[in-house]
Amino acid sequence: MVEVTALTDEVQEKVAKYLDRARREDGDINALIELNPGAEQAAKEVEKKIDSGKGGRLAGYVVAVKSNINVMGLRATCASKTLENYVSPYDATVIQRIKKEDGIILGMTNMDEFACGSSGETSYFGETQNPRAKGRIPGGSSSGSAVAVAAGFCDVALGSDTGGSIRNPASHCGVVGFKPSYGRVSRYGLIDLAMSLEQIGPFANNVRDAALLLEVIAGHDPKEGTTIKDQFQGYTDNLSADLDGWKIGFAREFEEFTEPAIVRVIKRGLDRLSSNGAEVVEIALPNLDKALPTYYLTVFVEFFSATRKYDGRRYGYKIEDVCGREVLRRIMLGRYISQKEYSGRYYKKALQFRSLIKRELLHALEAVDVIAGPTVPKLPHMLGEKIEDPLVMYGYDVLTVPTNLAGIPAGVVNVGRIKGVPVGMQIQGRPLDEQKVLNAMHALEKD
Amino acid sequence: MDIKEEAEKVLKELSQALGEIDLRETYYVVDEINITRRDGEPTRKEEFREIIRKNAPRMAENGSYVMEVGKWLK
C-alpha cells in the first residue's frame, strides 16, 4: 500500500495518490459512488494557498462525503435509484465550511439506501466490503464513509447519524466516528432520514482529526432553525488524555444486550480509562429496552413524511416505484401509523417514551462525566448471510439509538479485536459537552 | 413473507415491546429554536439554472419542464 499521511506530502501529490488508490482498489470494496472530477484542481489551488501562508485549518485534508449530503455539482443519490441522477445544485453548510477551510472533496460515498439500514447492504449501488474484517459487513448506514477512511482513500469523511449510522460502521471498521449533540452541526443540505434525530459528524483515523473536522463544521447556521447559538472552544486545542478525578458510568443493562466476548473487550477499555485517572462507577438505565421500539416508531413516521417529495415530478423517480425492500417497508409503516395516529397509539406513545429515555440518560449523566460502553451488541455478520427478520437487523441499533433520542453527543474509538474483527467503545456525554467525549476517546487511543 | 405482512408484524411487535405509559409528552427537539433567519444579499450562480434543468425528470422539445402528464390524456 502507498503511504499517505495528512500533512507531509505535497497536497497535489497526495490527492493524486488517493485518487489512484481509490480507482485501483474500490472496484472490490465499493465504498465510493462518485469521485470528484475537480479534486486535482482544488488541490492545486490549496497548495498555492499553503505556499503563500494562507492555508485554512483543513488545508491538505482530503474529505469523502456521504451520498446524502449536497456537494454542488456532484450527485447526492442517497444510494437509491430514486435519486441516481440527482446533481446537487448547492453546497450543504458543512461543505461550505470545509471548502472555506481548504478541505478537498474526494467524492461521494456509498451508504444504505436513504440511510435505512445498519449493514451497508441495502445500497442500490451494491454492498460495501469491510476492509478491516474481510467478508463481513462494514456496518451502516454510513458504510462507505467509514470504509473510505479504513481503506486509506481519504484522511477524513462525513457521515450522518440518526440511530447509530456513524458509530456502528466506525466500530465495525475500527475507525473513529463521532455523532455531535443535536443542534451542534447544521443539517442544511442534508437529505434527512428523520429530522428530529439526525446529525452530520466526522470519521477519521484518529481522535485529533475527528475533532478538527468537527470544529470546522460545528456552529450556529442562520439557515438551519435547530442549530444552537452556543459558543464552543476549539476541540483540538483542548484535547487531553488526563482523566484525573473523572467518573465514568457503565450501565449493567449493557451486558444484557451484548455478546459476552464484546463485553470482555469493552471492560479492558474501561481498565484503560481507569489507568488514565478515572473511576468507573455502575449506573442504571432501566428503560434501555424501550429505546429500540421508541426509535423505530418515530423514524417510520418522520421518514414517511420526508419521502413525500419524491413523487416523480421533481427528482426523477417516484420512490415507491424504484426503492428497495427496507425503504418500502418503512414508508408503508410510516403511512399506516400516520393514518392511525388520531388514536395516539404509536407515534404519540413513542414521543412519551422518548421523553422518559431522555430524562433517564440525562439523570445518569448528572452523576458521571461520561457513559462508556459497547457500541454494537454483536459482531458484524458475513456479507451475503441473509437476515430475513427486520427486527433482528434493527437489534444492531439497541445501544446507539438512546443517544439520538436524547440528542446527546457520542463517539466511538477502537478498543480491541475479536478474531480479527474490530470492536469499538462508545462514549456518551452531556448535551453540548463534545469536549469531554473527545477527551475520553483520546485517552483510550493514547493508552 | 409478503412485505405488507412483514410490516404488520414489525409494527405489532414494536408496539408490544413498548408497552403502556402514562406520561406527559414534552417538546424534545431543542430548547432554543431560531425561528427567523437573515435573508442576506441575493446571489446568482451561473451554472445553477443548468444544474436544476439536469435534475428535472423530463423536458419537452420546446424546453419546457414536463412535471406530470395527466393520466386522463391518454
Side-chain angles (χ1 to χ4, degrees), chain A residues 56 63 84 94 100 155 177 189 215-216 247 274 277 282 298 351 433:
Chain A
V63 189
E84 68 173 332
V94 290
K100 192 175 168 212
D155 298 310
E215 74 186 25
V216 166
K247 282 191 173 165
S274 300
E282 193 173 281
T298 309
L351 288 181
D433 201 355

Side-chain angles (χ1 to χ4, degrees), chain A residues 54-291:
Chain A
K54 290 179 184 163
R57 281 180 290 171
L58 286 179
Y61 277 82
V62 178
V63 189
V65 181
K66 189 175 181 180
S67 191
N68 62 351
I69 298 171
N70 279 281
V71 180
M72 190 163 159
L74 299 183
R75 286 183 300 152
T77 64
C78 290
S80 177
K81 184 173 173 61
T82 315
L83 296 175
E84 68 173 332
N85 297 315
Y86 178 69
V87 179
S88 302
Y90 67 100
D91 281 330
T93 296
V94 290
I95 301 300
Q96 284 176 6
R97 289 178 178 174
I98 287 170
K99 287 181 176 175
K100 192 175 168 212
E101 294 296 339
D102 296 322
I104 297 155
I105 306 296
L106 176 93
M108 308 304 288
T109 61
N110 209 349
M111 56 185 279
D112 280 296
E113 185 180 15
F114 279 104
C116 294
S118 313
S119 68
E121 294 174 300
T122 68
S123 167
Y124 168 65
F125 300 98
E127 64 199 18
T128 302
Q129 299 279 339
N130 185 337
R132 302 243 170 112
K134 290 270 161 63
R136 291 181 186 265
I137 57 161
S141 65
S142 308
S143 46
S145 294
V147 169
V149 170
F153 295 161
C154 57
D155 298 310
V156 288
L158 285 182
S160 64
D161 190 312
T162 312
S165 287
I166 289 175
R167 290 160 287 152
N168 169 310
S171 177
H172 289 337
C173 294
V175 297
V176 171
F178 196 91
K179 181 211 99 68
S181 308
Y182 190 83
R184 176 59 88 198
V185 176
S186 170
R187 291 177 300 108
Y188 178 75
L190 168 70
I191 302 171
D192 273 328
L193 162 63
M195 58 74 66
S196 78
L197 297 158
E198 200 150 14
Q199 277 287 284
I200 296 173
F203 286 99
N205 277 310
N206 57 69
V207 176
R208 184 168 290 280
D209 282 354
L212 176 63
L213 184 54
L214 179 64
E215 74 186 25
V216 166
I217 62 173
H220 176 250
D221 176 9
K223 294 195 202 103
E224 213 270 69
T226 63
T227 52
I228 293 168
K229 283 181 180 165
D230 173 65
Q231 295 299 318
F232 65 95
Q233 305 296 315
Y235 298 128
T236 46
D237 288 346
N238 294 303
L239 211 53
S240 163
D242 181 9
L243 305 184
D244 213 17
W246 281 41
K247 282 191 173 165
I248 309 273
F250 180 81
R252 66 184 86 96
E253 289 82 4
F254 290 156
E255 295 189 58
E256 290 170 24
F257 291 97
T258 312
E259 285 177 4
I262 295 177
V263 172
R264 284 195 290 276
V265 173
I266 295 301
K267 288 201 167 167
R268 287 204 292 274
L270 291 174
D271 292 342
R272 279 151 66 179
L273 292 173
S274 300
S275 69
N276 277 277
E279 178 195 355
V280 177
V281 297
E282 193 173 281
I283 57 164
L285 298 173
N287 284 296
L288 190 64
D289 62 329
K290 304 294 184 196

Side-chain angles (χ1 to χ4, degrees), chain A residues 72 85-89 182 196 220 222-223 225-229 290 293-294 296-297 300 302 312-314 316 325 329 332-333 336-337 346-349 351-356 358-359 389-391 394, chain B residues 1-11 13-38 45 47-48 51-52 54-57 66-68:
Chain A
M72 190 163 159
N85 297 315
Y86 178 69
V87 179
S88 302
Y182 190 83
S196 78
H220 176 250
K223 294 195 202 103
T226 63
T227 52
I228 293 168
K229 283 181 180 165
K290 304 294 184 196
T294 300
Y296 273 101
L297 291 172
F300 295 149
E302 293 190 12
R313 295 175 189 176
R314 283 169 286 189
R325 197 174 175 86
R329 185 187 295 120
M332 288 169 76
L333 282 161
Y336 181 78
I337 295 171
Y346 303 111
Y347 187 62
K348 190 178 173 199
K349 196 158 75 169
L351 288 181
Q352 291 173 326
F353 270 102
R354 182 173 178 169
S355 300
L356 180 72
K358 180 177 179 177
R359 201 183 304 158
D389 186 350
L391 289 163
Y394 297 166
Chain B
M1 196 190 288
D2 170 63
I3 192 162
K4 191 162 177 284
E5 281 174 40
E6 221 172 61
E8 282 166 7
K9 180 176 168 269
V10 166
L11 189 59
E13 291 191 21
L14 288 178
S15 186
Q16 276 174 358
L18 212 49
E20 291 305 319
I21 188 173
D22 185 20
L23 184 78
R24 238 180 104 80
E25 178 189 338
T26 57
Y27 293 99
Y28 51 83
V29 176
V30 281
D31 293 332
E32 185 196 348
I33 295 179
N34 309 297
I35 52 170
T36 57
R37 68 185 201 200
R38 294 191 306 272
K45 291 189 173 77
E47 64 275 45
F48 191 82
I51 291 173
I52 291 291
K54 278 184 193 162
N55 283 329
V66 180
M67 304 309 287
E68 185 175 22

Side-chain angles (χ1 to χ4, degrees), chain A residues 292-352:
Chain A
L292 205 61
T294 300
Y295 169 79
Y296 273 101
L297 291 172
T298 309
V299 162
F300 295 149
V301 175
E302 293 190 12
F303 181 58
F304 170 65
S305 168
T307 55
R308 293 310 81 204
K309 56 185 171 282
Y310 309 119
D311 54 8
R313 295 175 189 176
R314 283 169 286 189
Y315 305 104
Y317 299 104
K318 184 179 176 185
I319 189 167
E320 287 91 339
D321 291 346
V322 295
C323 69
R325 197 174 175 86
E326 180 58 26
V327 169
L328 188 58
R329 185 187 295 120
R330 292 188 189 198
I331 290 173
M332 288 169 76
L333 282 161
R335 178 182 288 127
Y336 181 78
I337 295 171
S338 302
Q339 282 167 355
K340 295 282 177 192
E341 199 43 41
Y342 61 88
S343 63
R345 201 167 143 197
Y346 303 111
Y347 187 62
K348 190 178 173 199
K349 196 158 75 169
L351 288 181
Q352 291 173 326

